Amino acid sequence: MQTENSKADLDKQDQEILALLKDYPKPQASAAYFDQALVRATHEGSRRQRNHWLMTGFGSAIAAGLALWLIGGFFLTPPDLPLVDPSIPGITMTLEEPRTINLVFASAEALDAATLTVRLPPGIEMSGFPGQREVTWETSLKTGKNLLPLKLIATSPVGGEIFATLKHDDRGRTFRLRVDIS
Amino acid sequence: MSSVHHQQTFEKLVRPHFDRLYRLAWRLTGQKAEAEDLFQELLIKAYGKLDQLVKIDAPGPWLSRVMYNLFIDERRRFARRRMQTVEESEMSGDGLAGLPGIENPARDYERQEQLVKLDAALSKLSDEHRLIVLLHDNEGYKLTEIQELTGVPVGTIKSRLHRARARLREMLVASGTFS
């Protein structure tokens, strides 16, 4: 009897979960966004095809020249973060609750092969990199604002500072973010 | 074929699938900015393969597979992860934030609370489990469609789906959502 009741409870819960999942909001984009994406795709697609032929014809000399020009134009401004402290921006996280923070880097020029290193304090982990205190990867920046979403989880109530260092060639900047745990 | 004709042909083939593809991008990435980036990359890639696209009977599944492969490639190449250019207005977060409906005042408050807890529970599932449970139980994909998309055998998908639901149930019961 106990087993039958437990099974009935499980079935009921399964049905409730399925109903809840069906009700989970579905992402939607506006018609204007789709229109823009279509225009960008056809323009970018054509441009890439043209560039393919251009690069095939003239080889790496053009690429080298372009890279030098980009390095000359390298300029970065700090990421936009919520200011809690006048000197160091900060956020508050809840223990064991994942949160995505968006670092926004403004770049005056498009930039390829920049290196971004994120250093985490003990007790803050990045999604996909459990236990790692430092994660480095190569990235590229477009002209204008560049968004880097970092999904973090606090595994201890201590908090600390996150350092994000962006480097290109011999230039670099480090940004700090204070994390408090509630 | 003229450039304008190319563009019109392309639009006619892909536009009917926009909503589904956009949602797939969200389900894969879990982030608005990344979803939009993936969606855009798909369109650019598909436009470059227009000659191939016009010969395909069912562009929808083909486009979904291309998107999935783009996503997997990008994940594998995390070491050269790309940032996204965004407008300030597009910077709403991930998960439930930014999704339509969650702040609808007409929505029953208790249901909204349950959805927030479901969102938290989903975020604790592995990427594979979360994707399968959302595609099957939220988006209504058939098991065979998930197989075509991911290349994972139906038996494995079934087992992952079962485990994902069981884990969700565990977490939702623990959080008091269900008694």
Side-chain angles (χ1 to χ4, degrees):
Chain A
M1 194 58 169
Q2 178 66 39
T3 308
E4 281 177 17
N5 282 343
S6 300
K7 187 176 182 311
D9 285 347
L10 281 180
D11 288 345
K12 184 169 170 270
Q13 284 168 357
D14 280 344
Q15 292 308 314
E16 285 175 333
I17 288 169
L18 285 178
L20 193 58
L21 278 163
K22 279 205 175 79
D23 219 10
Y24 189 70
K26 291 182 169 66
Q28 288 172 1
S30 66
Y33 165 75
F34 285 143
D35 288 344
Q36 278 178 3
L38 201 54
V39 168
R40 281 195 211 112
T42 52
H43 285 190
E44 179 69 10
S46 304
R47 191 186 65 78
R48 284 188 189 179
Q49 279 173 345
R50 280 197 303 273
N51 283 353
H52 171 74
W53 292 113
L54 187 70
M55 292 305 288
T56 304
F58 295 95
S60 59
I62 287 177
L66 185 63
L68 286 171
W69 178 76
L70 287 174
I71 294 163
F74 176 39
F75 173 72
L76 288 166
T77 54
D80 299 338
L81 292 164
L83 284 174
V84 173
D85 181 288
S87 56
I88 307 170
I91 57 163
T92 301
M93 293 180 65
T94 305
L95 192 62
E96 298 292 351
E97 202 170 279
R99 177 169 174 184
T100 300
I101 60 163
N102 292 309
L103 299 183
V104 181
F105 298 90
S107 179
E109 300 290 346
L111 196 64
D112 285 327
T115 303
L116 183 69
T117 300
V118 175
R119 275 187 290 140
L120 302 162
I124 306 278
E125 294 191 351
M126 195 189 304
S127 178
F129 301 90
Q132 286 192 39
R133 298 273 305 281
E134 187 171 304
V135 181
T136 298
W137 64 91
E138 207 172 83
T139 187
S140 59
L141 275 70
K142 296 174 184 172
T143 303
K145 290 185 174 175
N146 296 265
L147 172 68
L148 176 68
L150 295 179
K151 192 171 182 181
L152 304 173
I153 185 162
T155 55
S156 89
V158 179
E161 278 185 26
I162 295 173
F163 294 84
T165 303
L166 193 56
K167 284 187 179 170
H168 187 268
D169 200 16
D170 58 347
R171 297 167 173 228
R173 272 192 86 159
T174 296
F175 309 108
R176 294 164 69 185
L177 175 68
R178 200 190 67 254
V179 181
D180 296 318
I181 312 298
S182 65
Chain B
M1 210 176 350
S2 72
S3 172
V4 173
H5 189 218
H6 264 118
Q7 289 169 17
Q8 286 171 345
T9 305
F10 180 65
E11 181 173 355
K12 196 176 163 189
L13 288 168
V14 297
R15 195 181 272 280
H17 309 286
F18 274 4
D19 281 327
R20 189 173 161 99
L21 289 167
Y22 181 77
R23 291 205 303 271
L24 175 62
W26 252 94
R27 296 315 182 206
L28 287 167
T29 63
Q31 304 251 358
K32 183 180 180 184
E34 290 191 13
E36 293 190 348
D37 200 45
L38 180 59
F39 182 83
Q40 186 70 71
E41 279 300 312
L42 167 71
L43 291 191
I44 292 168
K45 186 157 185 120
Y47 187 67
K49 292 180 180 289
L50 183 58
D51 292 347
Q52 195 179 331
L53 188 60
V54 291
K55 295 175 191 160
I56 293 170
D57 290 334
W62 184 84
L63 289 162
S64 297
R65 271 197 308 278
V66 173
M67 176 181 277
Y68 182 80
N69 290 335
L70 277 172
F71 170 72
I72 295 296
D73 289 348
E74 185 64 24
R75 203 166 61 167
R76 281 184 187 141
R77 292 194 304 258
F78 185 77
R80 61 164 203 82
R81 178 176 176 168
R82 200 156 68 78
M83 295 183 185
Q84 299 86 36
T85 300
V86 292
E87 299 296 331
E88 294 287 352
S89 60
E90 294 174 346
M91 282 183 54
S92 59
D94 47 343
L96 283 182
L99 289 181
I102 191 61
E103 288 174 0
N104 181 354
R107 187 187 285 277
D108 176 72
Y109 176 76
E110 190 185 347
R111 192 58 161 178
Q112 191 164 320
E113 285 288 294
Q114 289 179 334
L115 286 169
V116 169
K117 285 179 178 166
L118 172 67
D119 187 53
L122 282 167
S123 72
K124 289 175 185 162
L125 293 180
S126 70
D127 291 346
E128 288 77 13
H129 283 186
R130 185 173 54 252
L131 178 66
I132 285 173
V133 83
L134 282 174
L135 289 183
H136 189 270
D137 292 343
N138 178 257
E139 298 287 350
Y141 280 53
K142 293 173 188 164
L143 293 173
T144 48
E145 288 178 307
I146 299 175
Q147 180 193 24
E148 280 174 27
L149 179 72
T150 61
V152 175
V154 167
T156 309
I157 295 168
K158 269 188 191 170
S159 135
R160 286 181 184 172
L161 187 59
H162 179 75
R163 283 205 298 273
R165 286 176 183 159
R167 181 79 185 111
L168 281 178
R169 183 174 59 217
E170 231 176 76
M171 287 189 279
L172 291 171
V173 168
S175 69
T177 310
F178 297 136
S179 53

